[in-house]
């Protein structure tokens, strides 16, 4: 209380001078929660009055009419009158009341008034900050709201706690003026302390815990206070209550139906949090009313079938037939378990009458992995709709409590929420807080008080709510939807519930949580609680409730009967991101070929000139950048293309054709190796920049290039989701160094590689992974090509036989495409081919580092001429190709090592004896072209040369396929680095010695003589 007394001391000492300086007649008056200037009455506490005449003036005014003075004076005089001798009345002479005992006591009593008011204001703030810690959130009544078992000392949980504020029981009936930072008064500006505490308890310590005072925006805090503190604001009409009950019936009876029909099946039901369904529908209803037309959702497996049935409105018979073990799959691929599948549905929202598109993204068992994917798809839909403020498209993410606290991708995703090129303008996060993770207690699963604390980093309000209070849940969901609509920021709803069964229906939770599950088995179902409540209120009758239950049970039985007629499972019917105009009605490509990827000379010149100039007048470019632009101009004049220009030509030509190009990743605007410079920065004007690629054509598609946060998992997932929205866009993610992709391995392993097989989902995302052994150490050398090739699904022991275009049919059957281009022209071609193909496959490109500026790594405009295409294999063009019968060794390689081999061959004068063939497309393996080269050099021994270690790189992938080409009649010898645990050495001398050693082997024509194969 020392700060209160200090303030009072200042008022007492300086009050007279302050009064004289400001004038008695002009003071501040509080009215309606706002301050305004008034000359009616001074709210100055008596301690600041400089003389007894001022006090008498206030007193006489008060005697005439109590409303003539400020309420603080009114309270003071009432108190003085009440504490005076019994013979004195309010009409007694002021000299008797004021000049005697009253005036002598005034300073001390005034100090008490000031202290008490300040104490009450602090008490109100304490509830706003910490009230959620003692909120009644656990439906089971056995756990604290958070991990902290103590009760904050500044919350009035007992009478003795008043002493913390210098108050006591005698102050409970006193009225106190409310500050402008609370709305608990409603239309009243003063309340008795008892009522203040009661209302604060009701608002902050009931079934809702509001966590928001960490937000550093006053307007947003006031908005939240008003939404929760205003008396009577959490009320529902009878119609709204009946709707809520009906939704709760559907949610509960759906799970009951599944449990009855398939009691021994895993389904990851929603029992214990049935309120999730009406919660999501409330969010969607409120958002639809605010103008939202499309909602993209992501969630884990618990409750997914219920959400599909009762939120997305997937046909029930299609869900029920998933339980039939005899159902045959109609689509190629592995498919996925029913509680991982997604869905896309267009329907009318029954509450608003507006069209809505709902998409629930398919998700693997890797909890939270879908979060950035959902955000990327939402961002893409906003982009293509021109929805710059997120008023038409939004995302909802549903989380588990243990995963939300434990999975790092949650932070990576939330961290993107305010970044200009990644924001979706507010996501509603719904945490299904089971208060347990599989078998792990919260105290063992997280260090933070709540599972939701990660959201505090972006100033997202967090609304904790007891899931057994459906009306409280609905209100919180309404507020969350309004928050998102008003402020376009993230918000978190923490549904504190329980899991009625184990991790799945076959699990026994009593092994590890016996006391919790004893309580759960005694716990009355929320539907029973809420129906009894409404029946008691007269909102519905028992008969009406039973009829609602019977109606939905009948629907389930009818759909169950219908599901028995289903004999074939169509995974395509569960597609979460359809492209109806891109494929045929059956989901097949519209063509079995693609046009040439070359370009007209005038297009090459136009883009080349734009790439080497600044489109804005008076723009001050860095001298180093000017030098780079001049170098590009010289290349264009000589009809030459380096790596950066080849990329520019690919992007620019696609933009001309209306194809949106988006390049994302760490430092991509400039390029890790300072070769790209797609964003130019004015050296004299802060934040003035230029993207020349957006000035190529008058009606071109937009080009987006954006430096990402220092995240791989989150950002790659985001770009994958972005690529799902439209096939007519080239979406690229570039790793700063190729090996950094391993922190995004989950996205690669669970979404990119098997996405089409599991979910019949095409995706054309491009991964640019800088790769090359250049003595830079283990972490800046290898993009781990062996991992991508190991996951490629083509059969190494079978030579594919295709009718028609071998290349296109092979690409159509693969799960992704892996290339390592050695020329800028081929890099340009493969990027253009990615869009011109009649289907979409992920494209993995191992991009160069030293080749970016290598003088030999140049292409001619002729290599990009109109009728040219991507070369899956580049044959030898040395003298060896003129006399193939005399060639002693045929060396196959890929990427940068070709230039080292070519240089060494020339130095040793072996250009007639050794042919070098470049494998540009590694997977799917170009069996047809390799066979042609092997047959051409029929007498030569075959060698695979790579710069990577033997247990890495490409050798384990290409070796069995080469043997298939030659029908296992001759070997393919290995040349390269020896097996190792690390990808590369960190010692430059060792690196060069290793390079020399395998170069010597590559051109030692007797190196493999006498060796058995």
């Amino acid at each position: 209380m020392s700060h209160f007394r200090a303030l009072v001391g200042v008022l007492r000492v300086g009050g007279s001078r302050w009064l004289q300086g400001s004038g008695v007649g002009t003071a501040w008056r509080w009215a309606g929660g706002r301050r305004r200037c008034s000359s009616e009455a001074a709210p100055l506490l008596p301690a600041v009055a400089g003389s007894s005449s001022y006090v008498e003036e206030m007193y006489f005014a008060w005697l005439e009419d109590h409303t003539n003075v400020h309420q603080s004076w009114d309270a003071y005089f009432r108190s003085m009158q009440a504490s005076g001798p019994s013979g004195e009345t309010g009409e007694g002479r002021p000299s008797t009341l004021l000049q005697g005992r009253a005036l002598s006591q005034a300073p001390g009593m005034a100090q008490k008034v000031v202290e008490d008011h300040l104490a009450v204001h602090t008490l109100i703030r304490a509830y706003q900050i910490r009230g959620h810690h003692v909120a009644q959130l656990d439906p089971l009544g056995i756990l604290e709201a958070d991990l902290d078992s103590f009760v904050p000392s500044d919350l009035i949980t007992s009478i003795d706690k008043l002493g913390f504020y210098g108050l006591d029981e005698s102050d409970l009936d006193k009225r106190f003026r409310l500050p402008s930072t609370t709305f608990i008064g409603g239309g009243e500006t003063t309340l008795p302390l008892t009522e203040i505490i009661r209302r604060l308890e009701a608002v902050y310590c009931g079934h809702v815990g509001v966590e928001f005072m960490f937000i550093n925006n006053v307007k947003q805090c006031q908005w939240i206070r008003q939404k929760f503190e205003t008396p009577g604001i959490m009320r529902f009409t009878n119609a709204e209550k009946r709707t809520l009950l009906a939704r709760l019936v559907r949610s509960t009876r759906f799970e009951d139906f599944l449990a009855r029909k398939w009691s021994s099946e895993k389904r990851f039901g929603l029992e214990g949090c049935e309120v999730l369904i009406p919660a999501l529908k409330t969010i969607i209803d409120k958002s639809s009313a605010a103008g939202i037309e499309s909602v993209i959702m992501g969630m884990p497996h618990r409750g997914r079938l219920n959400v599909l049935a009762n939120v997305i409105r997937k046909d029930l018979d299609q869900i029920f037939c998933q339980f039939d073990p005899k159902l045959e799959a109609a689509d190629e691929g592995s498919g996925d378990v029913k509680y991982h599948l997604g869905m896309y549905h267009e329907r009318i929202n029954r509450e608003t009458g507006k069209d809505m598109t709902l998409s629930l993204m398919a998700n693997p068992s890797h909890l939270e992995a879908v979060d950035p994917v959902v955000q990327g798809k939402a961002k893409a839909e906003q982009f293509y709709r021109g929805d710059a403020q997120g008023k038409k498209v939004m995302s909802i993410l549903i989380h588990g409590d243990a995963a939300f606290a434990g999975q790092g991708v949650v932070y990576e995703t939330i961290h993107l929420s305010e970044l200009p090129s990644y924001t979706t303008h507010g996501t509603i996060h719904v945490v299904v807080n089971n208060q347990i993770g599989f078998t792990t207690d919260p105290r063992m699963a997280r260090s933070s008080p709540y599972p939701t604390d990660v959201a505090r980093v972006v100033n997202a309000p967090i609304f904790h709510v007891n899931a057994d209070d459906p009306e409280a849940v609905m209100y919180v969901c309404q507020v969350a939807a309004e928050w998102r609509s008003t402020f376009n920021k993230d918000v978190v709803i923490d549904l504190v519930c329980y899991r009625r069964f184990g991790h799945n229906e076959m699990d026994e939770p009593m092994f590890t949580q016996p006391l919790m599950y004893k309580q759960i088995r005694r716990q009355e179902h929320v539907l029973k609680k809420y129906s009894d409540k409404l029946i008691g209120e007269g909102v519905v009758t028992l008969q009406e409730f039973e009829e609602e239950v019977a109606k939905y049970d009948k629907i389930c039985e009818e759909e169950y009967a219908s599901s028995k007629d289903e004999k074939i499972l169509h995974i395509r019917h569960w597609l979460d991101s359809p492209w109806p105009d891109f494929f045929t009605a059956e989901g097949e490509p519209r063509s079995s070929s693609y046009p040439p990827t070359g370009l007209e000379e005038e297009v090459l010149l136009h883009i080349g000139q734009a790439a080497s100039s600044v489109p804005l007048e008076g723009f001050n470019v860095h001298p180093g950048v000017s030098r780079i632009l001049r170098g590009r101009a010289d290349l264009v004049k000589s009809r030459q293309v380096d790596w950066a220009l080849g990329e520019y030509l690919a992007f620019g030509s696609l933009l001309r054709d209306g194809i949106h190009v988006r390049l994302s990743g760490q430092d991509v605007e400039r390029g890790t190796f300072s070769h790209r410079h797609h964003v130019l920065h004015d050296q004299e004007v802060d934040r003035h920049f230029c993207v020349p690629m957006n000035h190529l054509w008058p009606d071109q598609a937009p080009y987006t290039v954006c430096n990402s946060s220092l995240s791989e998992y989150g950002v790659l997932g985001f770009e994958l989701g972005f690529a799902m929205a439209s096939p007519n866009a080239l979406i690229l993610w570039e790793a700063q160094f190729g090996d950094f992709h391993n922190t995004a391995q989950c996205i690669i392993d669970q979404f990119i590689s098997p996405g089409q097989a599991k979910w019949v989902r095409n995706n054309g995302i491009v991964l640019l992974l800088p790769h090359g052994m250049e003595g830079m150490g283990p972490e800046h050398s290898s993009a781990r090509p062996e991992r991508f090739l190991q996951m490629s699904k083509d059969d190494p022991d079978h030579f594919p036989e295709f009718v028609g275009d071998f290349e296109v049919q092979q690409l159509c059957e693969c799960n992704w495409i892996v290339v390592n281009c050695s020329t800028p022209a081929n890099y340009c071609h493969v990027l253009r081919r990615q869009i011109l193909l009649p289907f979409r496959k992920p494209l993995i490109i191992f991009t160069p580092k030293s080749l970016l500026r290598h003088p030999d790594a140049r292409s001619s405009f002729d290599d990009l001429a109109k009728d040219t295409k991507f070369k899956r294999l580049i044959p030898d063009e040395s003298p060896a190709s003129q006399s193939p019968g005399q060639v002693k060794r045929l060396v196959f390689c890929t990427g940068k090592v070709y230039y080292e081999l070519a240089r060494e061959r020339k130095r040793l004068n072996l250009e007639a004896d050794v042919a070098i063939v470049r494998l540009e497309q590694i997977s799917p393996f170009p069996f047809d072209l390799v066979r042609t080269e092997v047959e051409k050099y029929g007498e030569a021994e075959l060698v695979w040369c790579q710069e990577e270690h033997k247990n890495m790189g490409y050798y384990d992938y290409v070796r069995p396929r080469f043997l298939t080409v030659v029908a296992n009649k001759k070997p393919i010898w290995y040349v390269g680095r020896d097996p190792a645990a690390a990808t590369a050495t960190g010692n430059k001398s060792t690196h060069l010695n290793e390079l020399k050693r395998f170069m010597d082997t590559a051109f030692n024509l007797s190196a493999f003589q006498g060796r058995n194969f």
Side-chain angles (χ1 to χ4, degrees), residues 635-657:
L635 283 172
V636 174
K637 289 177 183 177
S638 60
R639 302 181 72 254
Q640 293 286 306
V641 179
D642 66 1
W643 208 269
L645 187 54
E647 182 179 79
Y648 219 109
L649 294 170
F651 290 178
S653 59
L654 292 173
L655 294 172
R656 179 194 63 164
D657 297 335

Side-chain angles (χ1 to χ4, degrees), residues 12 211-212 429 485 492 542 565 629 700 711 854 884 944:
R12 292 180 64 188
E211 198 178 355
F212 71 102
H429 301 266
S485 177
V492 177
L542 176 60
D565 297 332
L629 297 182
Q700 69 172 71
S711 156
H854 197 293
W944 174 262

Side-chain angles (χ1 to χ4, degrees), residues 32-33 120-121 124-125 128 177-186 188-189 191 196 199-200 203-204 222 225-226 229-231:
V120 170
H121 291 188
I124 292 171
R125 183 173 176 83
Q128 293 170 341
R177 169 160 286 280
L178 300 173
S180 61
T181 53
T182 187
F183 293 84
I184 60 172
E188 301 178 81
T189 56
L191 286 175
I196 290 173
R199 294 189 185 188
L200 290 173
V203 170
Y204 292 109
Q222 283 290 79
R225 292 186 188 106
Q226 187 271 331
E229 292 184 353
T230 303

Side-chain angles (χ1 to χ4, degrees), residues 671-978:
T672 300
F673 311 104
S674 197
H675 69 290
R676 184 173 287 127
H677 294 284
H678 284 188
V679 179
L680 307 180
H681 294 264
D682 195 306
Q683 300 298 299
E684 304 296 332
V685 182
D686 187 32
R687 299 184 183 180
H688 185 209
F689 55 88
C690 170
V691 182
M693 194 88 75
N694 278 322
H695 298 266
L696 291 173
W697 321 93
D699 54 352
Q700 69 172 71
Y703 173 54
T704 304
V705 56
C706 45
N707 291 339
S708 74
S709 67
L710 202 65
S711 156
E712 288 83 26
Y713 191 168
V715 174
L716 178 56
F718 187 97
E719 300 308 330
L720 176 72
F722 202 107
M724 288 179 188
S726 171
N728 299 314
L730 183 67
I731 310 301
L732 309 97
W733 174 77
E734 182 175 70
Q736 192 177 65
F737 286 90
D739 49 344
F740 293 172
H741 77 75
N742 57 14
T743 62
Q745 199 69 45
C746 179
I747 297 295
I748 295 168
D749 290 355
Q750 310 307 322
F751 289 88
I752 299 178
S753 173
Q756 184 174 356
K758 293 196 294 185
W759 305 316
V760 202
R761 176 200 284 166
N762 271 232
N763 195 293
I765 190 167
V766 180
L767 274 60
L768 304 179
L769 307 176
H771 171 83
M773 308 294 114
E774 294 169 358
M776 298 301 292
E779 274 70 57
H780 294 88
S781 298
S782 176
R784 294 287 191 174
E786 65 276 4
R787 293 183 177 172
F788 294 94
L789 295 173
Q790 184 187 40
M791 289 187 283
S792 297
K793 76 164 191 173
D794 56 329
D795 187 347
D797 304 318
H798 173 68
F799 195 108
E801 298 293 339
F802 291 122
V803 177
D805 192 322
F806 185 98
E807 175 189 358
V808 173
Q809 292 188 46
Q810 195 181 29
L811 290 174
C812 188
E813 292 195 356
C814 73
N815 61 315
W816 57 17
I817 305 164
V818 181
V819 303
N820 188 353
C821 301
S822 62
T823 70
N826 230 19
Y827 177 52
C828 178
H829 280 300
V830 79
L831 292 175
R832 287 182 48 75
R833 185 185 74 170
Q834 185 71 355
I835 290 297
L836 294 176
L837 285 171
F839 45 80
R840 293 291 175 262
K841 302 285 180 175
L843 172 61
I844 316 300
I845 305 179
F846 302 118
T847 56
K849 295 175 287 185
S850 62
L851 289 194
L852 296 174
R853 296 176 177 84
H854 197 293
D856 294 334
R858 301 273 177 87
S859 297
S860 167
F861 275 18
D862 294 336
D863 299 322
L864 290 165
K866 187 173 181 180
D867 294 325
T868 56
K869 278 190 171 185
F870 171 71
K871 297 178 179 179
R872 292 177 290 147
L873 178 148
I874 299 180
D876 187 278
E877 297 175 354
S878 73
S881 64
Q882 305 303 316
S883 304
Q886 300 178 15
V887 171
K888 299 180 177 62
R889 178 170 290 179
L890 174 58
V891 178
F892 287 91
C893 66
T894 187
K896 175 181 74 72
V897 73
Y898 164 76
Y899 293 95
E900 290 158 339
L901 287 167
R903 182 182 60 199
E904 187 69 7
R905 179 179 64 174
K906 184 175 182 180
R907 186 183 71 82
L908 297 173
N909 197 26
L910 290 174
E911 291 180 302
D913 301 297
V914 178
I916 304 174
V917 174
R918 285 172 271 179
L919 209 60
E920 300 283 289
Q921 178 179 295
I922 306 152
S923 179
F925 190 75
F927 284 97
D928 54 334
L929 301 182
V930 170
R931 180 169 63 181
T932 299
E933 294 301 309
V934 170
E935 291 174 350
K936 178 179 179 180
Y937 301 96
E939 301 302 317
E941 63 178 353
L942 305 181
V943 167
W944 174 262
C945 181
Q946 66 179 37
E947 58 181 351
E948 297 81 6
H949 292 282
K950 189 174 183 179
N951 57 322
M952 303 174 194
Y954 321 91
Y955 181 62
D956 285 341
Y957 175 84
V958 300
R959 182 178 180 275
R961 288 163 176 81
F962 272 110
L963 294 179
T964 295
V965 169
V966 298
N968 289 291
K969 293 179 180 178
K970 60 192 301 187
I972 173 94
W973 301 111
Y974 171 78
V975 172
R977 289 181 165 86
D978 293 334

Side-chain angles (χ1 to χ4, degrees), residues 131 200 202 230 261 277 280 333-334 343 369 423 428 443 564 571 582 602 607 676 752 770 790 901 906 914:
L200 290 173
T230 303
K261 297 296 184 183
I277 300 304
L280 293 176
S334 63
M343 174 64 185
T423 180
I428 298 179
R443 64 181 180 274
K564 293 182 178 180
I571 305 174
F582 187 70
E602 57 268 24
I607 298 174
R676 184 173 287 127
I752 299 178
Q790 184 187 40
L901 287 167
K906 184 175 182 180
V914 178

